[in-house]
Amino acid sequence: MLSLFFSMFYFSINAGSMISTFISPIFRSQPCLGQDSCYPLAFGIPAILMILATCLFMAGSFWYKKPPPKENIFAEVARAIGRAIINKFHSGTSKEHWLDNYMDTHVCEKDLKCLDLRKQTRNKRACQKKVFIDDVKSLLRVLIMFLPVPMFWALYDQQGSIWLIQGIQMDCRLSGNLLLLPDQVQTLNAVLILVFIPLFQVIVYPIAAKCIKLTPLRKMVAGGLLASLSFLVTGFVQLSVNETLPTLPASDEAFVSVWNQLDDCSVKATFPGHNPFNVAPNITTTDNRKTGESSMHLKAPSGTKTWTVPIQLSYTGCSNDKFQNLPNVFNAKLETTKIYYVAISPNGIYQGKSDPSKPTQGTGEFSLG
């Protein structure tokens, strides 16, 4: 019954998590307040709902059972452990467990809890502290089992940090115009939990129980192994992602991409000292080590930081005569360590700069300047 209650409780939590992680990125991507994103909406609505939930929780406090606190159990455990350690250093005898050293200086006749226990059990040898020390031993055994848990959660929460950055580096288009925002990927966690809770309760656990005895520890070990495999998969995914990331220019280099914005014209571009290459309609040259594509990597003349590069251009397949008036030479002004794009549009040719660094001010949504 307790396991079923926990499953229902966990199910309801992740149902809310699924809804929030899917809708909040949509709110964030909406323009508002003169910005191209709306973080006030993305954070404001969850904040209002959290306040509402807190008020509902407090409204039910009249029906809660509120036993008055008796003692600080954490302080009592700490005192018992501290006294056991001190007694161990002063004791000349070896005990079965180091916590048993606590009993060296304990006198039941002076302890009210021991006296109450003897009165209740009518046993003159009953000792409440001995029972308490046994409980502390059990606590320490459980704590040892939970030592890997902080590490698990430290890795688990990377889905909102490192894994999100990995998603930003990937193509988020599922098909056509269907787009999955990087911060919506976390929704899959809640979705899988909602699917797996009934699946494990109804199918997996009953079948596994026929083969082995299921204990919380064994479930934790199995979950930890699966979590380790997920990070292994993520590592291989990142290796593939790295192959698609652009290489940054060296201190004496500048990168130039050619962006063909013409609908039905192919552009042939020739940089000085390099072989000509063709750019199909509505395509730009990019750095992609996986496919072998590359932008133009240009070396600066010795001793210079800025220089001009004449780009020879020719057009083929144009159905509109006005495209024939586009210039055949474009002088790109470059600076070392910078990344540029040369865009060829029906209205002319222009040059822009791409900034691969993380935005620190402004709207921070676009890297093309």
Side-chain angles (χ1 to χ4, degrees):
M1 189 65 183
L2 183 62
S3 176
L4 179 61
F5 170 79
F6 174 78
S7 297
M8 294 175 62
F9 174 72
Y10 199 46
F11 186 93
S12 62
I13 289 177
N14 284 279
S17 174
M18 179 189 68
I19 296 172
S20 65
T21 53
F22 182 79
I23 295 180
S24 293
I26 297 177
F27 290 156
R28 187 265 305 162
S29 63
Q30 302 303 312
C32 72
L33 303 177
Q35 304 290 323
D36 52 7
S37 58
C38 196
Y39 285 96
L41 183 64
F43 286 104
I45 291 180
I48 294 173
L49 294 176
M50 180 62 72
I51 293 173
L52 178 61
T54 304
C55 293
L56 290 174
F57 180 81
M58 294 175 62
S61 64
F62 299 103
W63 292 275
Y64 299 158
K65 292 183 178 180
K66 305 175 185 177
K70 296 181 179 179
E71 58 190 8
N72 190 336
I73 189 64
F74 293 102
E76 189 171 354
V77 170
R79 284 194 296 267
I81 293 176
R83 174 53 60 185
I85 293 174
I86 294 174
N87 290 349
K88 178 177 175 60
F89 284 106
H90 291 86
S91 175
T93 59
S94 177
K95 300 288 195 301
E96 182 179 353
H97 193 284
W98 63 271
L99 275 173
D100 293 331
N101 290 284
Y102 175 87
M103 303 302 297
D104 291 349
T105 56
H106 174 68
V107 180
C108 278
E109 286 72 14
K110 297 181 180 180
D111 193 307
L112 294 178
K113 292 182 179 179
C114 288
L115 296 176
D116 290 340
L117 181 63
R118 289 180 177 183
K119 185 182 295 184
Q120 293 173 7
T121 60
R122 297 180 180 180
N123 183 356
K124 294 183 179 181
R125 294 186 176 182
C127 179
Q128 189 274 340
K129 285 300 181 185
K130 188 176 186 309
V131 176
F132 180 73
I133 291 299
D134 290 338
D135 291 340
V136 176
K137 292 178 184 177
S138 301
L139 172 65
L140 294 181
R141 286 194 291 268
V142 172
L143 288 179
I144 292 174
M145 184 181 70
F146 279 96
L147 282 178
V149 172
M151 182 61 68
F152 166 79
W153 285 108
L155 296 173
Y156 176 85
D157 286 334
Q158 288 191 15
Q159 64 177 309
S161 55
I162 301 299
W163 285 12
L164 179 60
I165 295 174
Q166 186 184 71
I168 294 174
Q169 296 172 341
M170 300 171 70
D171 187 351
C172 298
R173 291 171 295 180
L174 298 180
S175 64
N177 295 325
L178 184 59
L179 179 68
L180 182 66
L181 298 175
D183 38 359
Q184 284 182 321
V185 176
Q186 301 177 64
T187 307
L188 293 176
N189 175 61
V191 171
L192 291 176
I193 290 175
L194 295 179
V195 172
F196 285 162
I197 285 178
L199 179 65
F200 274 69
Q201 288 290 337
V202 177
I203 299 176
V204 177
Y205 287 156
I207 294 177
K210 295 180 180 180
C211 303
I212 59 173
K213 182 180 179 181
L214 291 179
T215 63
L217 180 58
R218 288 179 176 177
K219 292 178 182 178
M220 288 179 59
V221 171
L225 292 175
L226 291 175
S228 302
L229 289 176
S230 69
F231 279 92
L232 186 63
V233 171
T234 305
F236 283 110
V237 170
Q238 186 61 44
L239 292 177
S240 297
V241 170
N242 290 343
E243 294 180 357
T244 66
L245 298 179
T247 305
L248 297 180
S251 59
D252 60 344
E253 285 184 328
F255 293 174
V256 181
S257 295
V258 178
W259 183 5
N260 182 5
Q261 298 180 354
L262 305 178
D263 291 330
D264 54 359
C265 283
S266 294
V267 176
K268 183 178 181 181
T270 305
F271 286 75
H274 294 81
N275 295 326
F277 58 90
N278 292 316
V279 184
N282 296 311
I283 295 295
T284 181
T285 56
T286 58
D287 284 321
N288 191 324
R289 291 189 290 271
K290 194 169 186 178
T291 61
E293 298 177 74
S294 175
S295 60
M296 189 57 62
H297 298 184
L298 302 175
K299 289 277 188 180
S302 179
T304 61
K305 294 289 186 181
T306 60
W307 76 106
T308 301
V309 174
I311 306 173
Q312 303 290 332
L313 301 170
S314 60
Y315 314 92
T316 57
C318 301
S319 60
N320 197 322
D321 291 339
K322 70 177 182 179
F323 294 160
Q324 303 297 332
N325 297 324
L326 291 172
N328 295 108
V329 178
F330 180 80
N331 293 315
K333 297 180 180 180
L334 309 180
E335 182 181 351
T336 54
T337 71
K338 304 298 182 182
I339 301 176
Y340 298 91
Y341 61 91
V342 174
I344 304 165
S345 72
N347 299 320
I349 302 177
Y350 61 95
Q351 176 182 341
K353 186 187 299 183
S354 301
D355 185 4
S357 62
K358 181 179 179 180
T360 57
Q361 60 184 0
T363 57
E365 290 292 327
F366 303 100
S367 61
L368 299 180

